[in-house]
Amino acid sequence: MSGARTVAIIGAGPVGLAAAAHVLERGLEPIVLEAGGTVGHAMRRWGHVQLFSPWEYNIDKAAARLLAATGWNSPEPHQYPTGAEMVERYLEPLANIAALKPRIRTSTHVTGISRTGFDKLKTKGRETAPFEIRYQNGKGPETVKADAVIDASGTWHSPNPAGANGLPAIGETEAADRIAYGMPDVLGKDRARYAGKTVAVLGAGHSAIGTLTDLAKLAAEIPETRPVWLLRGNDPAKAFGGGANDKLAARGELGAAFAALVTAGRIKVESEFCVSHLFVDGPRLIVGAIAGCSARRAQVDELIVATGFRPDLDLVRELRIRLDPAIECPIALAPLIDPNEHSCGTVRPHGARELAQDEPGFYFAGMKSYGRAPTFLMLTGYEQVRSIAADIAGDRAAAERVELELPETGVCSRPLGPDASNCCGGPALSDVDACCVADEKAKQQGKTGCGCAS
Ligand SMILES: Cc1cc2nc3c(=O)[nH]c(=O)nc-3n(C[C@H](O)[C@H](O)[C@H](O)COP(=O)(O)OP(=O)(O)OC[C@H]3O[C@@H](n4cnc5c(N)ncnc54)[C@H](O)[C@@H]3O)c2cc1C
């Protein structure tokens, strides 16, 4: 990519803004295009949620260097911010830096990316044609050109539906006013909607257990509130996480506190509940599950769907993109993050090599780069964009270098041996497709699958 000058970055979330800082440091010209009216638009939607990673893991190094030059007071590294604090204390000051501010366009919704004069079919010379990024900003379609593109547009705006088969459940659209997606603020601005109600939460990830924990707190204040946990799997304990083994203590504690609420019977649990249909019956919302699991119903007032997110791939339709068919992430990344293969959520750091596409100069980064996989950490995204910016600038050595060691989740189905104080014995050293030492050894012995799975 040497010779590239202008880099379009889609999304002004933490990873998009970090990308802009790295691109700037490389002497290149970033243009950040953000659909929302402000930076951190998606993060503001979950502003009430406390992060499970402390400040020391949430700030990109190039961004910190830019901020330090302005006299910015960096937050206490061991404290845990909320999403709103992340925006207020980090993303907004970063976006207001003189070098970045004029290069960020908000209320700019990217609708498509192509190459000037080249539709997807045409090959000869396409690698040197600039990218054309089409966007809407309320004035009709506009276009900006760039030599490289980093798509850091996240997945927040495309949540998975309730249907266990990945399609919207029958009746889901019609029952929309009784359904919320993601993490509504049940103790704050959405309190009136949920207080005193029977509220089902569908899902088994951090968002689901965080919301259920908050609903249990609401029930302690308003006893008529009844939290119901609907999960597709048959083992609720799988959602409890790594507990004390989790190197991110707050993430471990969240799971442990949730386990205690379930054990105490403060959350009703409906496992093996595969939602197939929904309908409103008088004052109640009926959530129906069928075959594959048992056929049964939950009668509730409200449903919160927290079944994860998927990438919006419409905007890259005209580019030559190869994605893993299941995870919808770059092919080389899939073996590192496939939740079917990895019992432990620890993911090796990676960069431009894994994220590059057949379309030279185009990269996915951040939450979107993980497709449907749920294990993304901001720290991973910061390492991604450091490596991508180096790649675009033509610094291959820096692009290849790994400059990050990630905290482990402590979630592993493999029993720990006497010498293994860490989950799976720590991150793998050499094999790029291995998530940990156990996996690396297994792969070196020619075994397939994840070596850390029991
Ligand atoms: C509730 C919750 C808690 C989390 N907690 C943690 C945590 O504790 N620690 C951690 O490391 N990670 C955490 N994560 C995961 C992840 O790090 C965050 O989601 C993080 O915000 C991802 O950053 P991002 O920049 O990739 O995407 P986002 O923050 O989602 O930013 C993407 C931006 O792109 C914009 N956009 C989308 N589409 C377009 C378009 N077509 N055109 C222009 N702009 C567009 C969006 O409006 C948004 O502002 C959490 C995630 C969630 C949902």
Side-chain angles (χ1 to χ4, degrees):
M1 279 307 297
S2 56
R5 293 295 316 154
T6 306
V7 183
I9 297 160
I10 306 170
V15 178
L17 289 179
H22 283 279
V23 164
L24 211 54
E25 269 196 347
R26 288 274 170 189
L28 307 170
E29 181 66 29
I31 306 171
V32 182
L33 307 168
E34 165 57 52
T38 55
V39 299
H41 179 66
M43 203 170 241
R44 283 172 205 271
R45 306 275 90 73
W46 50 273
H48 58 287
V49 179
Q50 190 187 57
L51 274 77
F52 49 72
S53 52
W55 276 110
E56 63 179 319
Y57 292 132
N58 302 335
I59 294 173
D60 171 69
K61 287 186 182 142
R65 285 189 286 271
L66 279 179
L67 282 161
T70 68
W72 175 67
N73 287 326
S74 61
E76 208 283 304
H78 302 300
Q79 280 180 359
Y80 296 87
T82 60
E85 286 164 348
M86 274 286 293
V87 175
E88 194 185 315
R89 297 196 60 193
Y90 170 54
L91 297 184
E92 278 177 351
L94 179 61
N96 279 324
I97 286 175
L100 275 183
K101 195 170 179 172
R103 296 175 165 103
I104 300 171
R105 302 183 194 177
T106 52
S107 302
T108 299
H109 185 257
V110 174
T111 54
I113 311 165
S114 187
R115 296 195 98 121
T116 306
F118 286 79
D119 66 7
K120 194 173 194 168
L121 198 60
K122 194 172 161 192
T123 300
K124 201 168 171 208
R126 76 177 286 121
E127 67 280 1
T128 56
F131 288 96
E132 272 186 15
I133 299 106
R134 179 83 52 88
Y135 62 88
Q136 294 279 354
N137 59 2
K139 299 184 211 141
E142 305 227 6
T143 297
V144 65
K145 288 192 182 181
D147 302 306
V149 176
I150 303 173
D151 182 353
S153 60
T155 54
W156 178 259
H157 302 298
S158 40
N160 285 325
N165 59 6
L167 303 174
I170 305 291
E172 188 166 341
T173 315
E174 292 76 4
D177 61 344
R178 309 291 281 276
I179 305 172
Y181 297 84
M183 287 194 82
D185 186 3
V186 301
L187 290 172
K189 75 176 169 48
D190 302 313
R191 183 185 172 97
R193 177 169 176 177
Y194 297 105
K197 306 268 180 65
T198 301
V199 186
V201 178
L202 175 66
H206 291 112
S207 298
I209 68 172
T211 302
L212 282 159
T213 303
D214 283 351
L215 283 169
K217 285 183 195 154
L218 190 58
E221 292 171 37
I222 302 175
E224 295 76 25
T225 312
R226 300 204 195 296
V228 181
W229 182 22
L230 306 178
L231 72 155
R232 292 170 188 164
N234 61 3
D235 182 7
K238 278 192 182 158
F240 299 161
N245 289 327
D246 196 324
K247 293 285 181 286
L248 289 178
R251 185 171 56 188
E253 282 162 18
L254 174 68
F258 178 66
L261 289 170
V262 170
T263 310
R266 291 177 57 192
I267 292 168
K268 185 179 178 200
V269 182
E270 297 271 6
S271 59
E272 294 189 273
F273 199 100
C274 300
V275 174
S276 58
H277 58 284
L278 295 161
F279 62 94
V280 177
D281 184 15
R284 303 294 262 176
L285 174 67
I286 311 297
V287 186
I290 54 154
C293 309
S294 49
R296 56 190 209 267
R297 290 173 161 195
Q299 292 195 30
V300 300
D301 298 306
E302 293 281 345
L303 172 65
I304 297 171
V305 179
T307 49
F309 301 89
R310 55 182 61 170
D312 173 4
L313 298 171
D314 275 0
L315 55 143
V316 295
R317 179 96 169 77
E318 215 40 42
L319 294 179
R320 295 181 176 183
I321 299 299
R322 279 197 298 143
L323 296 176
D324 179 83
I327 308 172
E328 296 184 334
C329 69
I331 301 277
L333 195 50
L336 306 182
I337 62 175
D338 183 350
N340 296 295
E341 291 288 326
H342 291 290
S343 61
C344 88
T346 308
V347 174
R348 293 201 69 214
H350 50 268
R353 180 169 33 150
E354 291 81 9
L355 298 161
Q357 287 291 331
D358 290 355
E359 196 75 73
F362 178 85
Y363 308 82
F364 289 111
M367 189 84 170
K368 187 162 187 176
S369 70
Y370 269 38
R372 295 180 180 221
T375 41
F376 180 76
L377 281 179
M378 254 172 285
L379 208 53
T380 312
Y382 298 156
E383 171 68 1
Q384 289 178 337
V385 294
R386 181 204 62 77
S387 170
I388 290 170
D391 202 42
I392 294 171
D395 184 349
R396 292 298 307 157
E400 287 288 322
R401 209 166 47 229
V402 171
E403 294 189 0
L404 170 70
E405 193 164 305
L406 286 165
E408 291 161 18
T409 58
V411 181
C412 182
S413 59
R414 185 170 178 269
L416 292 180
D419 57 339
S421 56
N422 295 326
C423 165
C424 303
L429 297 173
S430 59
D431 187 333
V432 78
D433 280 352
C435 71
C436 61
V437 171
D439 190 25
E440 185 174 72
K441 280 188 190 150
K443 293 229 160 61
Q444 280 164 353
Q445 289 160 12
K447 294 182 185 156
T448 55
C450 178
C452 67
S454 57

